[in-house]
């Protein structure tokens, strides 16, 4: 699992506990949590660093998540796996100084493998998420 916003040495999360820590934060898990995780699900990343972000009562979560521009790769030379790539736009419950929701978009990649149980859903085996780097004018 590769979360969007992580820091070394915990950039990648090969364990369930590491992935859970990213979503719910180190304070909410009794597992082997990562101390720098605040809980992506709480929406703290919508806030600019500073007093508002530091005050957990402002961590309101997300009111909307929208996948778009998705591409699906299946069959061919990689017929043993399916890949979905695209964008996820998140709308925060937090409002900026103008009363507008904070909106952010990240790039997503998911890889699925067939489940050994043919009656069950495919297994998510890879998740990668990243922020786009803004273009710098020439």
């Amino acid at each position: 699992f590769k979360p969007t916003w992580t820091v070394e040495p915990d950039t990648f999360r090969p364990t369930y506990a590491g992935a859970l820590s990213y979503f719910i934060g180190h304070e909410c898990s009794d597992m082997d949590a990562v101390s720098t995780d605040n809980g992506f699900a709480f929406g703290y990343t919508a806030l600019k660093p500073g007093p508002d972000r530091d005050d957990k009562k402002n961590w309101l979560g997300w009111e909307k998540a929208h996948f778009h521009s998705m591409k699906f790769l299946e069959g061919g030379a990689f017929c043993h796996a399916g890949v979905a790539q695209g964008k996820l736009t998140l709308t925060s419950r937090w409002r900026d100084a103008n009363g507008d929701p904070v909106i952010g978009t990240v790039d997503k990649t998911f890889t699925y493998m067939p489940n050994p149980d043919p009656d069950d859903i495919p297994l998510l085996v890879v998740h990668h998420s990243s922020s786009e780097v803004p273009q710098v004018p020439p």
Side-chain angles (χ1 to χ4, degrees), residues 20-87:
L20 185 64
S21 177
Y22 179 74
F23 285 105
I24 66 169
H26 70 277
E27 294 176 357
C28 296
S29 176
D30 60 357
M31 298 179 153
D32 188 21
V34 177
S35 64
T36 56
D37 286 342
N38 289 320
F40 177 79
F42 299 126
Y44 76 95
T45 55
L47 305 170
K48 293 188 183 329
D52 285 337
R53 183 183 253 186
D54 295 340
D55 186 350
K56 292 180 183 174
K57 74 176 188 214
N58 293 322
W59 297 6
L60 304 176
W62 309 103
E63 68 181 23
K64 187 164 87 172
H66 173 68
F67 283 97
H68 54 99
S69 304
M70 296 299 292
K71 305 288 185 227
F72 301 95
L73 310 169
E74 55 185 321
F78 298 101
C79 63
H80 60 282
V83 178
Q85 295 178 303
K87 298 189 176 293

Side-chain angles (χ1 to χ4, degrees), residues 45-126:
T45 55
L47 305 170
K48 293 188 183 329
D52 285 337
R53 183 183 253 186
D54 295 340
D55 186 350
K56 292 180 183 174
K57 74 176 188 214
N58 293 322
W59 297 6
L60 304 176
W62 309 103
E63 68 181 23
K64 187 164 87 172
H66 173 68
F67 283 97
H68 54 99
S69 304
M70 296 299 292
K71 305 288 185 227
F72 301 95
L73 310 169
E74 55 185 321
F78 298 101
C79 63
H80 60 282
V83 178
Q85 295 178 303
K87 298 189 176 293
L88 170 62
T89 296
L90 295 165
T91 303
S92 174
R93 287 188 173 95
W94 172 261
R95 299 296 186 254
D96 65 16
N98 297 323
D100 297 321
V102 177
I103 298 172
T105 300
V106 295
D107 297 330
K108 294 286 191 180
T109 300
F110 302 99
T111 302
Y112 299 91
M113 298 289 291
N115 193 312
D117 179 349
D119 296 327
D120 211 339
I121 61 172
L123 299 173
L124 175 64
V125 294
V126 174

